[in-house]
Amino acid sequence: MLFRSAPLHMEDKNVSSTLIREALWSGNILDANKYLGYPYFINGTIVGGQRIGRQMGFPTANIITRDKHKLVPSDGVYAVKLKLNGEMLYGMLNIGVRPTVDAETKYKTIEVHIFDFSRDIYGQDVTLIFADRIRDEKKFPTIAGLVDQMKQDKQDTLKIFGLA
C-alpha cells in the first residue's frame, strides 16, 4: 500500500517547489528559507575577476556555480554566510550585471565581499548560504555613490548577523 503525505501548509499556502522558486526569483530569501525549512545555498568555485571591487575598497570573490540547474536568486545584494575550507565566514553578495562599473556588459556575475578577509582563495570551492536580501541592484551616477551604498550595505549585513 502506498502512503501519501499531506501537503505542507504555511500561512494558508501549500508549500511547493513552484512557491519556493517564485520566492527565489523575486529575491524573497526569508520566505524561501521558511518554505524550505533551511537556508537556501549555492555551491561554487572562486574564480578571478576584473579586480574592480578591490580598487573601491571592497575586494570580491567571483563565484561560478557548480550546479547549472540550481536556481540563482534574482539580481540584488544579499547578506550571506560562506563555508570555505570548513570555516564559516560572513559577507555581502551581489548578483547581477554591475551596471555602475560595467555598463556595456550584460552578463551576470555572482561576487561576494567577505568581511575581514584577505587570503588568496582562487580555485577553491565555497558554499554561499543566503540569509536575507539587502536591496535591488541599481546603477549609481558615480563610483563614489556606489561605494557609499556599499558601506551602508555592509552595515545592514552586519546588523542582520548581529555583528554590528
Side-chain angles (χ1 to χ4, degrees):
M1 173 185 278
L2 295 175
F3 293 95
R4 186 170 179 197
S5 63
L8 178 61
H9 292 283
M10 199 171 284
E11 299 172 2
D12 295 327
K13 295 180 184 178
N14 283 333
V15 176
S16 65
S17 58
T18 300
L19 188 64
I20 295 165
R21 280 193 302 272
E22 288 171 355
L24 291 169
W25 281 325
S26 68
N28 193 337
I29 294 301
L30 292 177
D31 278 354
N33 289 349
K34 182 170 50 174
Y35 299 151
L36 286 165
Y38 59 87
Y40 190 73
F41 65 91
I42 294 176
N43 293 309
T45 303
I46 299 168
V47 297
Q50 297 173 311
R51 300 180 186 248
I52 296 169
R54 183 177 311 229
Q55 296 168 15
M56 295 186 297
F58 286 90
T60 60
N62 294 272
I63 313 298
I64 300 294
T65 59
R66 286 196 304 251
D67 184 353
K68 299 299 179 194
H69 299 291
K70 188 145 187 184
L71 192 143
V72 174
S74 69
D75 292 2
V77 178
Y78 296 87
V80 296
K81 290 182 183 180
L82 302 89
K83 189 172 182 183
L84 180 68
N85 295 325
E87 185 178 4
M88 194 63 75
L89 305 165
Y90 296 91
M92 58 187 193
L93 176 132
N94 185 74
I95 298 171
V97 296
R98 304 176 311 163
T100 305
V101 298
D102 206 357
E104 299 300 316
T105 303
K106 296 300 177 200
Y107 67 89
K108 286 189 183 202
T109 62
I110 301 172
E111 55 187 342
V112 62
H113 171 70
I114 306 169
F115 301 145
D116 304 318
F117 189 86
S118 64
R119 294 181 293 217
D120 180 358
I121 52 175
Y122 294 120
Q124 295 186 31
D125 292 333
V126 65
T127 299
L128 304 169
I129 304 163
F130 289 79
D132 202 352
R133 187 166 198 250
I134 304 297
R135 64 174 173 86
D136 289 340
E137 182 182 54
K138 68 180 197 177
K139 182 176 175 70
F140 291 86
T142 64
I143 296 293
L146 172 59
V147 170
D148 287 343
Q149 181 62 57
M150 291 170 73
K151 289 176 183 175
Q152 182 61 54
D153 295 342
K154 181 176 181 178
Q155 289 307 308
D156 293 343
T157 300
L158 290 170
K159 285 178 188 172
I160 287 169
F161 291 122
L163 301 172

